[in-house]
Amino acid sequence: MAEDGTSKTATHIDVPDQVNEGVTTCQLREVLDRVGDKWSVLIMALLGSGPRRYSELRRSIDGISQRMLTLTLRSLERDGLVIRTVTPTTPPRVDYELTPVGLTLSREVSSLIRWADEHREYISVSRRSYDAG
Amino acid sequence: MAEDGTSKTATHIDVPDQVNEGVTTCQLREVLDRVGDKWSVLIMALLGSGPRRYSELRRSIDGISQRMLTLTLRSLERDGLVIRTVTPTTPPRVDYELTPVGLTLSREVSSLIRWADEHREYISVSRRSYDAG
DNA sequence: CGGTATCCTCATAGATACTG
DNA sequence: CAGTATCTATGAGGATACCG
């Protein structure tokens, strides 16, 4: 992949080795910023287990403001990861669901959340230890 | 896991379903913020393929400032994800390597980077399409 | 119900200069 | 080489109010 000769001591992953290749880093940033914001991961994980109404998402995600929920959903929609469906009843109803590609990202972030869940105690202990010594 | 009865239409993932359970969300935030910052993912991915010197990381990660590199590395060290080894020669030499737990996170973020790499074109097209229509 | 529109704040991170 | 110390600003995100 990396046509660069400096292949260091690559042990186990096939990530682009030179993250500074210009194209790679910049394009990567665009996408990592998508998943790096405060709410996308949680929203994607929730939608991973089925479509949700706007109000359901709002209630499910503790601490999110209406503004950020809308902004994040719009951004995910723009990236082709979720589909927004408006049912023009009164009062209106809006459902959000993952696209096929969105589903694959959802699986990734769910895996990450699982990791976080499994290691939060370890991290917590590490922090206390570090802050002490 | 979630002892709550409202198990909605869970289809395929085993993520904590109620992300607003207080404990879950807060603890999750702590850890997600770790991986959600601008540079951690890239650093973890790089260290995933072996130890690196400070200067190597600096050169490998395009656009990172000395300040942010140090801050991020310290934070990762504090969380028990990387180990910092100082060799007090002149000039000094400092190596960073993953802990066993760090390695597992590295695998997660590498997977995420792979996803980003595979779907950046799709996302790019989606954005243009959204911005047009 | 499902949003916009504003305003405002505070943390993240860049630039620059200095040091053991 | 591998940092630390400031100083600054930019923008992500919260609070609040209003709208179709």
Side-chain angles (χ1 to χ4, degrees):
Chain A
M1 292 192 174
E3 63 232 300
D4 189 353
T6 59
S7 58
K8 316 211 163 141
T9 50
T11 47
H12 71 281
I13 62 165
D14 45 338
V15 166
D17 202 65
Q18 285 300 95
V19 218
N20 62 338
E21 268 305 321
V23 198
T24 313
T25 309
C26 296
Q27 308 284 35
L28 219 56
R29 256 267 95 49
E30 280 185 63
V31 187
L32 287 183
D33 284 349
R34 146 107 329 285
V35 85
D37 68 57
K38 195 170 181 183
W39 304 109
S40 292
V41 166
L42 292 176
I43 291 177
M44 291 301 292
L46 272 170
L47 291 180
S49 54
R52 294 281 190 283
R53 293 186 61 169
Y54 182 87
S55 49
E56 286 182 299
L57 290 171
R58 196 150 131 74
R59 269 178 283 108
S60 295
I61 303 171
D62 186 55
I64 196 168
S65 63
Q66 211 165 1
R67 173 189 144 85
M68 287 317 296
L69 179 55
T70 302
L71 248 53
T72 307
L73 285 169
R74 286 285 191 283
S75 186
L76 292 169
E77 189 194 6
R78 177 171 181 257
D79 288 356
L81 301 171
V82 310
I83 295 172
R84 179 172 177 271
T85 310
V86 185
T87 312
T89 54
T90 44
R93 174 199 176 103
V94 182
D95 290 272
Y96 293 90
E97 64 184 318
L98 296 178
T99 63
V101 171
L103 181 61
T104 67
L105 177 56
S106 167
R107 293 218 163 96
E108 292 289 332
V109 305
S110 294
S111 176
L112 197 63
I113 286 180
R114 216 148 36 229
W115 183 94
D117 196 45
E118 287 163 6
H119 296 92
R120 62 166 194 247
E121 188 56 28
Y122 170 84
I123 289 178
S124 183
V125 170
S126 294
R127 285 181 184 173
R128 275 194 290 274
S129 165
Y130 185 93
D131 295 344
Chain B
M1 290 192 176
E3 65 232 297
D4 189 352
T6 58
S7 57
K8 321 216 158 137
T9 50
T11 46
H12 71 281
I13 63 166
D14 45 339
V15 165
D17 201 67
Q18 286 300 93
V19 219
N20 63 338
E21 266 307 317
V23 199
T24 313
T25 309
C26 295
Q27 308 284 35
L28 218 56
R29 256 268 131 325
E30 280 185 62
V31 187
L32 287 184
D33 284 349
R34 146 105 330 286
V35 85
D37 69 56
K38 194 169 180 182
W39 302 110
S40 292
V41 166
L42 291 176
I43 291 177
M44 291 302 290
L46 272 169
L47 291 179
S49 54
R52 295 281 191 282
R53 294 187 59 171
Y54 182 86
S55 49
E56 286 182 297
L57 291 171
R58 195 150 131 75
R59 268 178 283 107
S60 295
I61 303 169
D62 187 56
I64 196 170
S65 65
Q66 211 164 1
R67 173 189 144 85
M68 287 317 296
L69 179 56
T70 302
L71 248 54
T72 308
L73 285 169
R74 285 286 192 282
S75 186
L76 292 169
E77 189 194 5
R78 177 170 180 259
D79 288 355
L81 301 172
V82 310
I83 295 171
R84 177 172 177 270
T85 311
V86 184
T87 313
T89 53
T90 44
R93 175 199 176 103
V94 182
D95 289 271
Y96 292 90
E97 65 184 315
L98 296 178
T99 62
V101 171
L103 182 60
T104 66
L105 177 57
S106 167
R107 292 216 164 97
E108 293 289 333
V109 304
S110 294
S111 176
L112 197 64
I113 286 180
R114 216 149 36 230
W115 184 94
D117 196 45
E118 287 163 6
H119 296 91
R120 62 165 193 248
E121 188 56 28
Y122 170 84
I123 289 178
S124 183
V125 169
S126 295
R127 286 181 184 174
R128 274 193 292 274
S129 166
Y130 185 94
D131 294 344

